[in-house]
Amino acid sequence: MDSKNRKIYTLIFTLLIMGTLFTGCKKENTYSPPPPAKVTVNKPIQKNVTNYLEFTGITEAMDSVEIRPRVEGYLEKVMFKPGSFVKKGDLLFVIDQRPYKAKLGEAKAQLAIEISKLNAAEATFQRMEMAYKERAVSEVSVIQARADVEVAKAAIKSAKAAVQTAELDLSYTTIHAPISGRIDRNLVDAGNLIGSGENTLLATIIKDESIYVYFNVNERDIIDSDLLNGETDSSDIYLGLLNKDFSHKGKIDYINNRVNPETGNIQVRGVFENSKNSILPGMFANIKIPEKTVKNALLVPDQIVGRDQQGYYLLAVNSENIVEYRHIEIGDLIDGMRVIKSGIKPNDRIIVKGIQMAYPGREVSPIEENSENKSPKTENQSI
């Protein structure tokens, strides 16, 4: 074999050896399942909680007065700043007084005339009596003179009444605040004719140092809570506005004496202090009334409570680290924690983090945290 052929055979042999080596090193691809998802679990918190009856209502001012004119005339002055606080007796409106001053002068003049007529009638009566004693006039003349005196006295009473009426009408041209409170804007501007054939509404004053809330309670809640007998755990009630911050505490001061047969509700009124004027009349109100205390109630963060077509639910991890779907019945919301009436037990491990990676029936890798010492970060869940 010459040198050229030897090199060719050597190259072929080398390639065969290398091919064999590469073929022997190649591994076959196989499926490896992903590791279980990591989730954070907590046991429910146990503590005594108070159940509340919840209602909705409308706030209303304790005192409210509509300012309307009692006499007709042109509005001359508006004496207040819209939206300001006014005191009882403050001057609010002035109506043109000139016509009423003229009427008062006329009434006083008429009174003076009637007094003069009485004096003349009395003098005539005295002369008639003296003449009758001397048989100078008939008895009929004396009777007529006495009647004239009585007519003059009656005319004076009528004139005095006219003076009082004119004085009263003149006083009505200045309109004063009947109560202390906050006044709204003037609904009529100066220069307009008011009280002509109608009781023109000029403004409204409300006294809101304390405020009412009217709400309706249905028959079942009346029976279950013994509300009418005052047997709730506390006589206090709590008011929350749209933010549901129930920081306003008040009391029930009125319950209607009958149930509306058409709605099955009874009207109840609560009164709340409003010294800071933070509650305005006409606001939508949420009312909570303490009903009873439940011992060792189970609570979980409200954010982890899910909802689907079957209702509310939680995801729990069993002893084999398998995710379980728990249908639950929820209760009140207390400081961000939701009371769970049924569906879980005190030692259940509830998923509070990593919920998006947890599916019922699948295995997870749970990380336990002590719910009594730490409030875990939670997230919304859905299935």
Side-chain angles (χ1 to χ4, degrees):
M1 183 181 296
D2 57 15
S3 174
K4 184 177 180 180
N5 290 334
R6 187 182 296 110
K7 290 181 179 180
I8 292 173
Y9 286 123
T10 302
L11 179 60
I12 293 172
F13 180 75
T14 301
L15 292 174
L16 290 173
I17 295 295
M18 291 179 65
T20 303
L21 291 175
F22 281 120
T23 302
C25 292
K26 186 176 181 181
K27 295 183 179 179
E28 184 179 357
N29 292 329
T30 58
Y31 171 77
S32 296
K38 292 184 179 181
V39 296
T40 301
V41 296
N42 269 338
K43 293 181 180 179
I45 294 177
Q46 282 187 282
K47 67 176 183 179
N48 298 339
V49 298
T50 301
N51 285 340
Y52 292 87
L53 298 173
E54 296 192 17
F55 308 97
T56 57
I58 298 295
T59 62
E60 188 172 312
M62 180 170 286
D63 292 318
S64 178
V65 178
E66 292 182 343
I67 308 300
R68 298 179 184 271
R70 297 187 180 185
V71 292
E72 177 183 340
Y74 285 93
L75 184 61
E76 193 171 77
K77 296 178 182 179
V78 178
M79 306 298 293
F80 65 91
K81 180 180 178 181
S84 63
F85 182 85
V86 296
K87 295 181 180 179
K88 182 178 181 179
D90 285 352
L91 180 61
L92 303 178
F93 297 95
V94 177
I95 299 173
D96 186 8
Q97 297 180 328
R98 292 172 297 178
Y100 296 97
K101 287 181 178 180
K103 288 182 179 180
L104 177 59
E106 181 181 353
K108 287 182 177 180
Q110 186 62 40
L111 175 61
I113 293 173
E114 298 301 336
I115 292 175
S116 298
K117 287 182 179 181
L118 175 61
N119 292 334
E122 287 178 339
T124 300
F125 173 64
Q126 290 176 359
R127 288 194 301 271
M128 287 294 179
E129 280 190 322
M130 293 177 63
Y132 177 72
K133 291 178 180 179
E134 296 177 356
R135 304 297 180 181
V137 295
S138 66
E139 184 180 359
V140 174
S141 297
V142 175
I143 294 173
Q144 183 63 49
R146 183 183 295 113
D148 290 341
V149 171
E150 296 301 323
V151 170
K153 288 181 178 180
I156 287 177
K157 289 182 179 180
S158 177
K160 286 182 177 179
V163 170
Q164 291 177 346
T165 300
E167 289 176 342
L168 193 60
D169 287 344
L170 179 60
S171 70
Y172 288 156
T173 60
T174 55
I175 303 175
H176 299 264
I179 62 171
S180 298
R182 192 172 303 281
I183 191 169
D184 63 353
R185 66 182 180 88
N186 55 296
L187 301 178
V188 179
D189 295 325
N192 286 283
L193 179 64
I194 60 175
S196 178
E198 61 176 352
N199 287 327
T200 310
L201 179 61
L202 300 177
T204 303
I205 301 176
I206 60 170
K207 186 177 182 180
D208 54 3
E209 294 177 358
S210 295
I211 201 158
Y212 288 137
V213 176
Y214 287 90
F215 56 97
N216 294 316
V217 179
N218 61 61
E219 291 183 57
R220 180 173 297 278
D221 288 333
I222 294 172
I223 296 172
D224 293 344
S225 65
D226 290 326
L227 184 64
L228 297 180
N229 298 325
E231 296 180 0
T232 54
D233 288 353
S234 172
S235 60
D236 294 329
I237 62 175
Y238 300 90
L239 165 66
L241 301 177
L242 290 179
N243 57 5
K244 292 193 175 183
D245 177 16
F246 292 90
S247 58
H248 302 281
K249 185 168 69 173
K251 294 185 179 295
I252 294 176
D253 77 326
Y254 161 78
I255 299 177
N256 202 347
N257 58 2
R258 63 187 179 278
V259 174
N260 186 330
E262 296 181 359
T263 63
N265 295 331
I266 188 170
Q267 188 182 62
V268 181
R269 183 178 72 190
V271 59
F272 297 84
E273 186 174 342
N274 189 35
S275 57
K276 296 182 179 179
N277 297 318
S278 58
I279 309 173
L280 299 178
M283 281 185 166
F284 181 84
N286 297 285
I287 299 294
K288 293 177 67 173
I289 302 178
E291 182 185 15
K292 60 183 178 180
T293 299
V294 179
K295 295 183 177 180
N296 296 323
L298 300 179
L299 296 91
V300 300
D302 185 57
Q303 296 92 329
I304 70 171
V305 177
R307 188 174 185 178
D308 57 16
Q309 294 180 348
Q310 299 181 25
Y312 295 96
Y313 68 90
L314 290 171
L315 296 182
V317 178
N318 63 18
S319 58
E320 298 178 353
N321 294 338
I322 302 300
V323 177
E324 294 182 348
Y325 175 96
R326 299 290 181 86
H327 177 70
I328 59 172
E329 181 183 0
I330 65 172
D332 292 332
L333 180 64
I334 303 174
D335 297 330
M337 303 295 289
R338 177 66 66 177
V339 176
I340 307 301
K341 294 182 177 181
S342 63
I344 61 173
K345 297 179 180 180
N347 291 324
D348 283 343
R349 297 184 298 171
I350 308 301
I351 299 177
V352 297
K353 189 175 181 181
I355 297 174
Q356 286 79 1
M357 303 299 295
Y359 297 91
R362 292 190 182 181
E363 183 181 1
V364 292
S365 177
I367 302 173
E368 298 190 16
E369 291 183 353
N370 189 348
S371 61
E372 295 182 357
N373 298 328
K374 182 177 180 180
S375 297
K377 295 182 179 179
T378 58
E379 50 193 287
N380 295 328
Q381 64 172 326
S382 61
I383 290 182

